[in-house]
Amino acid sequence: QVTLVESGGELVQAGDSLRLSCVASGRSFSSHIMGWFRQAPGMEREFVASILKNGQSPAYADSVKGRFTISRDNDKNTLYLQMDSLKPEDTAVYYCGMHQSLSYSLRSVRSRSAFGYWGQGTQVSVSS
């Protein structure tokens, strides 16, 4: 199995920046697509960003494009999400996920059902 542990979530003000981290263990991190998803109260868990195994072809939700940057360091088994110009609507629990299959498609890299392993989540709160 794989264990994913997120960190970095805090209470911040609108316009501030945060960087989230996700450390993986128990599996070959560098062989898998990784992604960030978020879930606000009363809402479904939604796609935020994903990245291929060698750091290629990052994908973003329209709501965060231009403000968030996903990256990974395979030597450290760590995934990152740099969040700039934060807005109150970014408030959510942020989850790190590992794409289950070594094969992928344009659809699967944005679909939570394709990510078979999850961390416990880290809370990001943005005040107005």
Side-chain angles (χ1 to χ4, degrees), residues 39-79:
Q39 188 167 16
M43 303 290 288
E44 294 277 358
R45 189 173 301 186
E46 66 176 357
F47 168 76
V48 176
S50 65
I51 190 167
L52 300 190
K53 61 183 182 180
N54 295 126
Q56 300 173 342
S57 302
Y60 299 94
D62 289 342
S63 59
V64 306
K65 195 168 187 177
R67 298 188 298 119
F68 291 9
T69 303
I70 188 171
S71 62
R72 65 192 295 164
D73 186 337
N74 288 342
D75 290 335
K76 297 181 178 180
N77 288 348
T78 302
L79 178 73

Side-chain angles (χ1 to χ4, degrees), residues 44-118:
E44 294 277 358
R45 189 173 301 186
E46 66 176 357
F47 168 76
V48 176
S50 65
I51 190 167
L52 300 190
K53 61 183 182 180
N54 295 126
Q56 300 173 342
S57 302
Y60 299 94
D62 289 342
S63 59
V64 306
K65 195 168 187 177
R67 298 188 298 119
F68 291 9
T69 303
I70 188 171
S71 62
R72 65 192 295 164
D73 186 337
N74 288 342
D75 290 335
K76 297 181 178 180
N77 288 348
T78 302
L79 178 73
Y80 302 99
L81 185 67
Q82 177 67 43
M83 304 183 293
D84 297 323
S85 301
L86 282 163
K87 304 175 180 179
E89 49 263 46
D90 295 319
T91 295
V93 177
Y94 283 70
Y95 296 91
C96 168
M98 178 178 284
H99 196 279
Q100 189 169 23
S101 176
L102 297 181
S103 300
Y104 67 94
S105 68
L106 292 176
R107 177 184 294 181
S108 72
V109 299
R110 295 174 176 266
S111 176
R112 74 176 188 271
S113 65
F115 290 75
Y117 303 95
W118 300 96

